[in-house]
Amino acid sequence: MPRPRGAAPVAYALTFTGLAGAYWPVVIAGLYGAGALIAPPTRPPAPEFPDASSRLETLREYPAEVDLPPGAAGRLVELTDLLDGLLAPGWVSEALATDPEGVHALARFVHQDIPESVDTFVRTRWWTRVAPGSEPPERHLKRQLDLLHREAEGPATGLCEAETRRRRTHTRYLEDRGL
């Protein structure tokens, strides 16, 4: 049996003490509904990362359980795609493995920053119903995801610049050999 939410216990108390009178069904339904509107909605649990190989996939699935605004959902897809490209097995992840700061930043994105951004959005979203006129949490989520995307582009840009320098160096090497 589901646990009564909000003002339902008050409605039951009014009914059993006889204060609701003949209108007891209306009192119970009204107070139960009011309590359900005021109480925060249930939210999905924070993601758990069972092993290293499923971390990014878990991160992709977690926000799918939450109703994100379209702009934020699109930015989150872009961010997870960028992280997926950086963490996919191959030369990029091998090159990134030599940069401890980059590895730390990516681990922080996956384990802390993105789940925290989505979780705080879910926790504060319902407050806009209770406190109209406050700054919408959608704006903060979009801004947070923009900042994280900009920061995640740093390691990608660094790898691109390193490969560009490597290509130019090899070209000069070949030119100096007279080929």
Side-chain angles (χ1 to χ4, degrees):
M1 180 171 171
R3 196 182 102 214
R5 288 179 52 168
V10 173
Y12 290 126
L14 290 173
T15 300
F16 291 125
T17 60
L19 295 174
Y23 299 107
W24 66 269
V26 175
V27 170
I28 289 177
L31 286 174
Y32 189 86
L37 288 174
I38 292 173
T42 56
R43 63 183 183 88
E48 294 182 20
F49 301 105
D51 60 15
S53 64
S54 68
R55 288 186 176 145
L56 199 56
E57 191 59 37
T58 301
L59 185 61
R60 283 183 189 276
E61 293 169 2
Y62 171 63
E65 298 173 15
V66 180
D67 184 27
L68 295 177
R75 194 59 166 167
L76 184 61
V77 168
E78 292 173 8
L79 180 58
T80 53
D81 286 347
L82 176 60
L83 293 174
D84 192 31
L86 290 170
L87 297 173
W91 73 268
V92 174
S93 61
E94 290 171 8
L96 187 63
T98 62
D99 177 20
E101 290 179 22
V103 171
H104 174 72
L106 293 178
R108 190 182 63 235
F109 288 149
V110 173
H111 291 288
Q112 179 183 352
D113 294 338
I114 297 172
E116 180 72 13
S117 294
V118 174
D119 193 49
T120 56
F121 166 76
V122 172
R123 287 176 180 254
T124 58
R125 172 178 53 184
W126 75 277
W127 279 103
T128 57
R129 290 187 311 200
V130 179
S134 61
E135 191 170 8
E138 292 85 2
R139 187 178 308 151
H140 282 280
L141 177 62
K142 176 80 167 70
R143 185 156 174 0
Q144 289 170 3
L145 294 175
D146 286 342
L147 292 169
L148 289 172
H149 192 276
R150 193 174 316 136
E151 187 177 353
E153 287 175 333
T157 302
L159 288 173
C160 181
E161 289 172 356
E163 288 304 312
T164 301
R165 281 191 305 273
R166 182 174 165 223
R167 183 188 70 228
R168 288 179 184 156
T169 302
H170 188 66
T171 301
R172 272 188 239 120
Y173 165 74
L174 291 174
E175 289 172 347
D176 290 345
R177 281 183 28 197
L179 297 177

